[in-house]
Short mmCIF file of all heavy atoms in Angstrom, two decimals:
data_model
loop_
_atom_site.label_atom_id
_atom_site.label_comp_id
_atom_site.label_asym_id
_atom_site.label_seq_id
_atom_site.Cartn_x
_atom_site.Cartn_y
_atom_site.Cartn_z
N ILE A 1 -7.20 0.75 -6.78
CA ILE A 1 -6.82 1.87 -5.91
C ILE A 1 -6.65 1.27 -4.49
O ILE A 1 -7.21 0.21 -4.19
CB ILE A 1 -7.67 2.99 -6.02
CG1 ILE A 1 -9.12 2.58 -5.62
CG2 ILE A 1 -7.65 3.61 -7.35
CD1 ILE A 1 -10.12 3.70 -5.57
N ALA A 2 -6.02 2.05 -3.63
CA ALA A 2 -5.80 1.57 -2.23
C ALA A 2 -5.55 2.78 -1.35
O ALA A 2 -5.35 3.89 -1.79
CB ALA A 2 -4.53 0.69 -2.20
N GLY A 3 -5.65 2.50 -0.03
CA GLY A 3 -5.35 3.50 0.96
C GLY A 3 -3.96 3.30 1.54
O GLY A 3 -3.54 2.14 1.71
N SER A 4 -3.25 4.35 1.69
CA SER A 4 -1.81 4.28 2.07
C SER A 4 -1.72 3.89 3.51
O SER A 4 -2.56 4.40 4.39
CB SER A 4 -1.13 5.59 1.88
OG SER A 4 0.08 5.60 2.51
N LEU A 5 -0.80 3.08 3.87
CA LEU A 5 -0.46 2.69 5.30
C LEU A 5 0.85 3.21 5.71
O LEU A 5 1.30 3.03 6.83
CB LEU A 5 -0.43 1.15 5.55
CG LEU A 5 -1.85 0.42 5.30
CD1 LEU A 5 -1.66 -1.02 5.43
CD2 LEU A 5 -2.84 0.96 6.27
N ASP A 6 1.53 3.89 4.88
CA ASP A 6 2.85 4.44 5.03
C ASP A 6 2.95 5.91 4.79
O ASP A 6 2.53 6.45 3.69
CB ASP A 6 3.85 3.72 4.08
CG ASP A 6 5.34 3.98 4.36
OD1 ASP A 6 5.69 5.11 4.66
OD2 ASP A 6 6.07 3.01 4.33
N ALA A 7 3.37 6.65 5.70
CA ALA A 7 3.36 8.13 5.66
C ALA A 7 4.20 8.64 4.46
O ALA A 7 3.92 9.77 4.01
CB ALA A 7 3.90 8.68 6.91
N ARG A 8 5.16 7.92 3.98
CA ARG A 8 5.96 8.33 2.83
C ARG A 8 5.18 8.32 1.51
O ARG A 8 5.59 8.98 0.64
CB ARG A 8 7.14 7.36 2.67
CG ARG A 8 8.11 7.37 3.81
CD ARG A 8 9.18 6.30 3.65
NE ARG A 8 8.57 5.00 3.51
CZ ARG A 8 9.18 3.91 2.98
NH1 ARG A 8 10.44 4.04 2.55
NH2 ARG A 8 8.54 2.72 2.94
N ILE A 9 4.16 7.56 1.49
CA ILE A 9 3.34 7.35 0.21
C ILE A 9 2.29 8.43 0.17
O ILE A 9 1.39 8.39 0.93
CB ILE A 9 2.84 5.92 0.18
CG1 ILE A 9 3.95 4.87 0.41
CG2 ILE A 9 2.14 5.69 -1.21
CD1 ILE A 9 3.46 3.41 0.49
N ASP A 10 2.36 9.18 -0.91
CA ASP A 10 1.36 10.28 -1.11
C ASP A 10 0.16 9.76 -1.96
O ASP A 10 0.33 8.79 -2.76
CB ASP A 10 1.93 11.48 -1.71
CG ASP A 10 2.97 12.14 -0.76
OD1 ASP A 10 2.66 12.12 0.42
OD2 ASP A 10 4.02 12.64 -1.31
N ILE A 11 -0.91 10.53 -1.95
CA ILE A 11 -1.98 10.25 -2.89
C ILE A 11 -1.58 10.38 -4.36
O ILE A 11 -0.92 11.39 -4.67
CB ILE A 11 -3.21 11.20 -2.54
CG1 ILE A 11 -3.79 10.86 -1.20
CG2 ILE A 11 -4.25 11.11 -3.63
CD1 ILE A 11 -4.73 11.76 -0.66
N GLY A 12 -1.91 9.44 -5.17
CA GLY A 12 -1.44 9.40 -6.53
C GLY A 12 -0.25 8.56 -6.80
O GLY A 12 0.01 8.22 -7.95
N ASP A 13 0.56 8.23 -5.75
CA ASP A 13 1.79 7.37 -5.88
C ASP A 13 1.29 5.99 -6.25
O ASP A 13 0.10 5.55 -5.95
CB ASP A 13 2.57 7.40 -4.64
CG ASP A 13 3.35 8.70 -4.46
OD1 ASP A 13 3.44 9.43 -5.52
OD2 ASP A 13 3.84 9.01 -3.32
N ILE A 14 2.17 5.13 -6.63
CA ILE A 14 1.91 3.77 -7.04
C ILE A 14 2.68 2.88 -6.05
O ILE A 14 3.80 3.04 -5.76
CB ILE A 14 2.42 3.38 -8.40
CG1 ILE A 14 1.57 4.24 -9.43
CG2 ILE A 14 2.35 1.97 -8.75
CD1 ILE A 14 0.21 3.68 -9.73
N VAL A 15 1.96 1.71 -5.63
CA VAL A 15 2.62 0.66 -4.85
C VAL A 15 2.51 -0.62 -5.68
O VAL A 15 1.43 -0.97 -6.21
CB VAL A 15 1.88 0.50 -3.55
CG1 VAL A 15 2.40 -0.76 -2.80
CG2 VAL A 15 1.99 1.67 -2.64
N LEU A 16 3.68 -1.26 -5.84
CA LEU A 16 3.82 -2.57 -6.51
C LEU A 16 4.08 -3.60 -5.43
O LEU A 16 4.89 -3.54 -4.59
CB LEU A 16 4.91 -2.48 -7.50
CG LEU A 16 4.97 -1.41 -8.54
CD1 LEU A 16 6.19 -1.46 -9.35
CD2 LEU A 16 3.74 -1.55 -9.46
N ALA A 17 3.28 -4.65 -5.45
CA ALA A 17 3.39 -5.68 -4.41
C ALA A 17 4.61 -6.51 -4.45
O ALA A 17 4.93 -7.01 -5.53
CB ALA A 17 2.07 -6.60 -4.43
N THR A 18 5.28 -6.65 -3.34
CA THR A 18 6.30 -7.64 -3.21
C THR A 18 5.65 -8.94 -2.72
O THR A 18 6.13 -10.04 -3.02
CB THR A 18 7.38 -7.16 -2.21
OG1 THR A 18 6.72 -6.85 -0.95
CG2 THR A 18 8.14 -6.07 -2.73
N ASP A 19 4.60 -8.82 -1.92
CA ASP A 19 3.80 -9.91 -1.45
C ASP A 19 2.48 -9.40 -1.03
O ASP A 19 2.24 -8.16 -0.96
CB ASP A 19 4.51 -10.76 -0.44
CG ASP A 19 4.86 -9.96 0.87
OD1 ASP A 19 4.10 -9.13 1.35
OD2 ASP A 19 5.95 -10.25 1.44
N ALA A 20 1.57 -10.26 -0.61
CA ALA A 20 0.29 -9.88 -0.17
C ALA A 20 -0.21 -10.79 0.92
O ALA A 20 0.12 -12.01 1.10
CB ALA A 20 -0.77 -10.03 -1.36
N MET A 21 -1.05 -10.16 1.87
CA MET A 21 -1.68 -10.86 3.04
C MET A 21 -3.11 -10.45 3.17
O MET A 21 -3.50 -9.33 2.81
CB MET A 21 -0.85 -10.67 4.28
CG MET A 21 0.47 -11.45 4.41
SD MET A 21 1.19 -11.22 6.09
CE MET A 21 0.07 -12.37 7.02
N GLU A 22 -3.88 -11.19 3.81
CA GLU A 22 -5.26 -10.98 4.13
C GLU A 22 -5.33 -10.44 5.56
O GLU A 22 -5.19 -11.26 6.54
CB GLU A 22 -6.16 -12.19 3.92
CG GLU A 22 -6.21 -12.72 2.52
CD GLU A 22 -6.76 -14.09 2.40
OE1 GLU A 22 -8.02 -14.29 2.75
OE2 GLU A 22 -6.00 -15.06 2.04
N HIS A 23 -5.58 -9.18 5.71
CA HIS A 23 -5.47 -8.58 7.12
C HIS A 23 -6.65 -8.99 7.92
O HIS A 23 -6.56 -8.90 9.12
CB HIS A 23 -5.29 -7.10 7.02
CG HIS A 23 -6.47 -6.26 6.54
ND1 HIS A 23 -7.61 -6.20 7.33
CD2 HIS A 23 -6.64 -5.60 5.35
CE1 HIS A 23 -8.46 -5.37 6.61
NE2 HIS A 23 -7.91 -5.04 5.46
N ASP A 24 -7.76 -9.39 7.35
CA ASP A 24 -8.96 -9.69 8.13
C ASP A 24 -9.09 -11.25 8.45
O ASP A 24 -10.02 -11.66 8.95
CB ASP A 24 -10.18 -9.25 7.47
CG ASP A 24 -10.40 -9.81 6.03
OD1 ASP A 24 -9.55 -10.43 5.56
OD2 ASP A 24 -11.57 -9.59 5.50
#
């Protein structure tokens, strides 16, 4: 599970990674 960073994405929706980065 994850927290949305995009206002278009609602709770329950799915995000499939195109790529990944370490934000910290």
Side-chain angles (χ1 to χ4, degrees):
I1 60 177
S4 171
L5 295 175
D6 188 319
R8 298 173 301 163
I9 307 175
D10 293 324
I11 292 170
D13 288 343
I14 294 282
V15 174
L16 306 175
T18 55
D19 59 37
M21 288 187 72
E22 299 164 64
H23 70 71
D24 61 349

